Amino acid sequence: MQLVRQNEETFSKGTRAARSRARRRTAIRAAAAALVGCALATGCAGGADEAVRPAAGQQPLQAPPARALDSYATQLKAQQAQRAAAARRWGLAKVPLAAPKPPAKKPVIKARKGFEVDQQEELGLPPVFTTIPTKDKVVFLTIDDGAEKDPKFLKMMSDLKIPYTAFLTDAEIKPEYGYFKKMQSTGVTLNNHTLHHPYLPGLSYARQKHEICGMQDLIEKKYGKRPTLFRAPFGNYNQDTLKAAKACGIKYAPIWNAEAFVDRMDYREWDRDIHPGDILLTHFRGREDWKGTMPDMIRMLMKYLTDKGYAVARLEDYL
């Protein structure tokens, strides 16, 4: 019996010792956790006045912006590859240059010096201008009247992503209004070039207003949007022209600084060259009038512009 009691006492002492060691380990772990928590949460390990530094895992995550940048770069490469393929398909030796982003603050457009009419500013008349104020090496392609309706031209411009602005005359477009509806669906703005393409300064104010407002009404009816841009036929106008244009809702009356044909360029300036911001004119024409087609004209023009380091930008983005 005495041996049994001794064994029970020995077992009891061992159990109490094991429990005591366990309690000490638990207390040590709790103290360590408290110290770590204090250091991370309050900065107490370095003093009350020391700035708290977040744990590494709490730093702002940089991965999403990096992924977005990589995605944007990938998208640009894909777009460039598409443009290169389109250039080869349409017979261009070089890929047309892409225009920079349009300015967030639009340039102030005024009538070109020498192109004003009497009381231009006092009457708030639409300015006649040939160039957009910009330092970017961009030009603006505009196409007049609507006589030629080449489906290959629409496809080419869409494939190459070349922006342009159309100035339409009803006498030329009315056999095929649908052609210009397709053009509009690609993002091209359809603007006013009068109903019948007359020499406007030879007409009375009332007749000029009929030519301009009549084309405004037709474009709104056929294409759903009333233009704010007007180009006088032949680039000829007088004060009555601009007064009528304003009365019809026109804000700008751009003309051009250079003209593209299928085989050459013509220039307004004495240096016979293009300049940043120049407005370029060409026409809807084909083999009946030119030594080639509209795609031939675009091939010539894009080689000319690309060799000079110019891109084609969208006129409306700068107005």
Side-chain angles (χ1 to χ4, degrees):
M1 291 297 292
Q2 186 177 1
L3 179 60
V4 171
R5 283 195 299 270
Q6 288 176 346
N7 288 339
E8 289 176 349
E9 290 175 1
T10 300
F11 176 78
S12 177
K13 290 179 180 178
T15 300
R16 287 196 298 272
R19 289 175 178 172
S20 178
R21 288 194 297 272
R23 284 194 295 271
R24 285 198 299 271
R25 285 196 297 270
T26 300
I28 290 170
R29 284 196 296 268
L35 287 172
V36 172
C38 177
L40 292 178
T42 67
C44 60
D49 295 330
E50 186 175 332
V52 179
R53 296 183 180 182
Q58 295 172 309
Q59 295 296 323
L61 185 61
Q62 298 299 320
R67 285 196 296 269
L69 184 61
D70 181 66
S71 176
Y72 179 65
T74 301
Q75 184 180 14
L76 286 181
K77 288 180 181 178
Q79 291 174 352
Q80 184 66 7
Q82 291 175 354
R83 287 170 65 87
R88 290 192 298 271
R89 187 162 59 252
W90 288 103
L92 276 64
K94 297 180 181 179
V95 180
L97 299 174
K101 289 183 178 180
K105 184 178 181 181
K106 308 301 182 186
V108 176
I109 306 297
K110 294 183 177 181
R112 176 171 168 163
K113 187 175 182 180
F115 288 62
E116 311 97 330
V117 297
D118 290 341
Q119 296 184 294
Q120 174 80 49
E121 293 190 4
E122 294 89 331
L123 296 175
L125 300 179
V128 176
F129 53 101
T130 63
T131 303
I132 297 289
T134 180
K135 294 181 180 179
D136 294 336
K137 288 193 74 173
V138 296
V139 294
F140 306 94
L141 179 60
T142 63
I143 311 179
D144 280 8
D145 64 47
E148 180 72 8
K149 303 163 186 68
D150 186 346
K152 290 183 179 179
F153 169 76
L154 292 184
K155 176 66 173 170
M156 181 183 196
M157 299 299 273
S158 179
D159 286 353
L160 293 172
K161 304 289 191 292
I162 298 173
Y164 60 101
T165 298
F167 288 89
L168 303 180
T169 295
D170 185 47
E172 300 291 355
I173 70 171
K174 63 182 177 183
E176 295 183 43
Y177 289 124
Y179 177 84
F180 299 95
K181 188 69 174 178
K182 292 178 183 177
M183 181 181 294
Q184 184 186 42
S185 71
T186 67
V188 176
T189 304
L190 307 181
N191 292 292
N192 191 327
H193 199 42
T194 71
L195 288 170
H196 302 100
H197 205 274
Y199 175 72
L200 290 173
L203 303 181
S204 66
Y205 171 79
R207 289 186 63 191
Q208 291 196 54
K209 187 177 179 182
H210 170 71
E211 283 287 337
I212 299 169
C213 284
M215 193 60 189
Q216 291 285 90
D217 295 341
L218 185 138
I219 292 177
E220 184 176 28
K221 178 181 178 181
K222 295 292 184 181
Y223 304 109
K225 189 173 183 180
R226 202 167 182 84
T228 58
L229 300 175
F230 161 73
R231 174 171 287 161
F234 317 106
N236 296 129
Y237 59 94
N238 58 16
Q239 187 193 59
D240 279 349
T241 309
L242 300 184
K243 288 171 66 177
K246 180 181 178 181
C248 299
I250 295 297
K251 294 182 179 180
Y252 301 100
I255 49 176
W256 61 91
N257 220 31
E259 184 171 358
F261 296 86
V262 75
D263 55 352
R264 72 183 192 278
M265 295 287 297
D266 281 354
Y267 307 90
R268 185 182 299 274
E269 307 298 341
W270 64 269
D271 60 359
R272 297 187 58 76
D273 202 356
I274 57 172
H275 317 85
D278 274 356
I279 298 171
L280 306 185
L281 165 68
T282 192
H283 289 81
F284 291 97
R285 294 290 186 270
R287 291 189 181 279
E288 292 184 1
D289 302 285
W290 286 345
K291 298 177 181 178
T293 63
M294 292 193 73
D296 292 334
M297 179 273 296
I298 293 297
R299 276 186 280 270
M300 181 284 299
L301 178 61
M302 296 316 301
K303 180 182 186 308
Y304 172 84
L305 295 177
T306 305
D307 286 348
K308 285 181 169 287
Y310 280 83
V312 178
R314 185 173 179 270
L315 178 61
E316 291 81 358
D317 289 341
Y318 285 71
L319 298 177

